[in-house]
Amino acid sequence: MRSREADGGAVPPEDGLASRQWWHTSIIDMRPGVIRYHGYAIQDLIGNIGFAQMAWLMLRGELPSARQGRLLEAALMAAVDHGPQAPSIAIARMAATCGVGLNNAMASAVNVLGDVHGGAGEQAVELYQDVAARVDAGASQEAAVRAGLDAFIELHGKFVPGFGHRFHPLDPRAPRLLQLVDEAAAAGAVPGRYAAIARGIEAELEARKGKPIPMNIDGATAVIYAELGFPAPLARGLFCLSRSVGILAHAWEQSRQGGRNKGPIPRQYIPLYDGPPPREVPER
Ligand SMILES: CC(C)(COP(=O)(O)OP(=O)(O)OC[C@H]1O[C@@H](n2cnc3c(N)ncnc32)[C@H](O)[C@@H]1OP(=O)(O)O)[C@@H](O)C(=O)NCCC(=O)NCCS
């Protein structure tokens, strides 16, 4: 087989090699009559593999163990929805009243899952991994947590990803997810070290602030993604996958409710204007 380098990119079109190499993938082998994901035939996967396990296969190239699959499933189902107070859900509902289709409503909503809302899991995994690396380099966990937090705050500011919540003094999702991690760790399915690190960060934050800054859904699912060995950017990608379920449900419900052109607050509430007082346009 000629290499692209040897051909200078100029493989004759008639042998099809240039176009086959253009999008090369190890994810799917798709030819007439054949659909295989990382080698597994689709007809063998259908009925045997759940959605979360399929996501794992697509991203990792292997099937998860039953316990790993269940843990991923728990993280994905736990974050599907947080109601119209969550910007992503409110945006899905507003978009649905604007005469666009479900795909537009979903894309609008997914677009706001950033560092502060929904996407914080990516930074949280990075923080946990940074603390783990400090422990591997010889620090005690307490010292590693302190140093990791200091380094993060120096770089990104005082808000630590995966902790704090606008509504919940204790996010009910976090302890339950951590309980599942503990069970998986006891069974030897995951290391358990990232759960310990996240709890250490939570304790250190409380000590520093003099009040609890509890782990939130992003922080807890980040523990699961780190325990399962997902790279940090995939924590955000997987959260988007999960929240898309709630986004779709709310966009669909709103489209059936039939509201038209709904803004973020009822129309009797006018946003506060704090600009210059009324004035004449100057003569030009
Ligand atoms: C989610 C979040 C925006 C909620 O913020 P909030 O309830 O409006 O919190 P406030 O801005 O009112 O802050 C209240 C106090 O708690 C502290 N605090 C809140 N979340 C904190 C965090 N993640 N790290 C450190 N301190 C935090 C604030 O510093 C503030 O203390 P101060 O009064 O001494 O300045 C905030 O916790 C945050 O940005 N968390 C990190 C991002 C994240 O995990 N997002 C996913 C949310 S599910």
Side-chain angles (χ1 to χ4, degrees):
M1 182 187 287
R2 282 168 297 176
S3 74
R4 268 180 295 183
E5 287 74 17
D7 288 314
V11 178
E14 63 272 15
D15 73 3
L17 186 61
S19 62
R20 296 193 73 207
Q21 285 180 333
W22 188 259
W23 298 122
H24 59 98
T25 174
S26 60
I27 297 173
I28 182 167
D29 179 13
M30 197 288 296
R31 291 170 278 125
V34 174
I35 303 173
R36 285 182 179 272
Y37 299 101
H38 293 285
Y40 296 115
I42 185 67
Q43 60 271 27
D44 297 338
L45 294 169
I46 292 173
N48 289 316
I49 298 302
F51 191 71
Q53 293 166 303
M54 190 62 188
W56 181 299
L57 175 64
M58 294 295 283
L59 293 168
R60 308 279 288 265
E62 295 296 337
L63 286 166
S65 70
R67 260 195 184 277
Q68 289 170 327
R70 277 204 299 279
L71 209 48
L72 177 61
E73 174 99 44
L76 289 173
M77 70 73 57
V80 294
D81 186 19
H82 200 249
Q85 279 287 355
S88 51
I89 300 295
I91 287 167
R93 298 193 74 113
M94 278 192 282
T97 71
C98 293
V100 300
L102 285 175
N103 58 320
N104 305 98
M106 292 179 74
S108 303
V110 169
N111 256 331
V112 298
L113 296 174
D115 289 348
V116 181
H117 170 47
E122 179 172 353
Q123 286 186 333
V125 170
E126 282 168 0
L127 174 61
Y128 301 160
Q129 288 173 341
D130 177 58
V131 173
R134 291 171 195 272
V135 172
D136 291 344
S140 69
Q141 181 169 294
E142 291 72 21
V145 163
R146 283 195 297 276
L149 276 176
D150 289 344
F152 183 90
I153 290 166
E154 168 96 25
L155 202 60
H156 301 284
K158 69 176 183 179
F159 285 98
V160 177
F163 297 84
H165 205 286
R166 187 137 289 162
F167 295 104
H168 305 301
L170 178 66
D171 187 331
R173 299 164 290 188
R176 174 65 182 143
L177 288 170
L178 270 276
Q179 183 191 357
L180 295 181
V181 175
D182 290 344
E183 288 170 12
V190 295
R193 73 182 313 205
Y194 296 101
I197 286 170
R199 285 179 171 127
I201 292 172
E202 194 175 40
E204 176 65 16
L205 273 178
E206 179 167 359
R208 288 186 184 192
K209 301 294 293 188
K211 62 174 182 179
I213 311 284
M215 194 185 306
N216 60 41
I217 182 69
D218 287 9
T221 52
V223 168
I224 291 184
Y225 297 138
E227 293 281 354
L228 292 176
F230 284 96
L234 286 180
R236 180 173 302 206
L238 287 165
F239 190 99
C240 293
L241 200 60
S242 162
R243 182 51 61 88
S244 289
V245 176
I247 287 169
L248 172 61
H250 280 273
W252 178 235
E253 181 184 66
Q254 184 62 54
S255 66
R256 283 182 302 157
Q257 283 177 7
R260 288 170 66 81
N261 202 351
K262 280 180 82 167
I265 46 176
R267 70 172 123 187
Q268 65 267 31
Y269 299 108
I270 306 295
L272 180 71
Y273 172 71
D274 58 5
R279 51 184 170 161
E280 300 292 330
V281 176
E283 292 287 342
R284 307 195 135 238

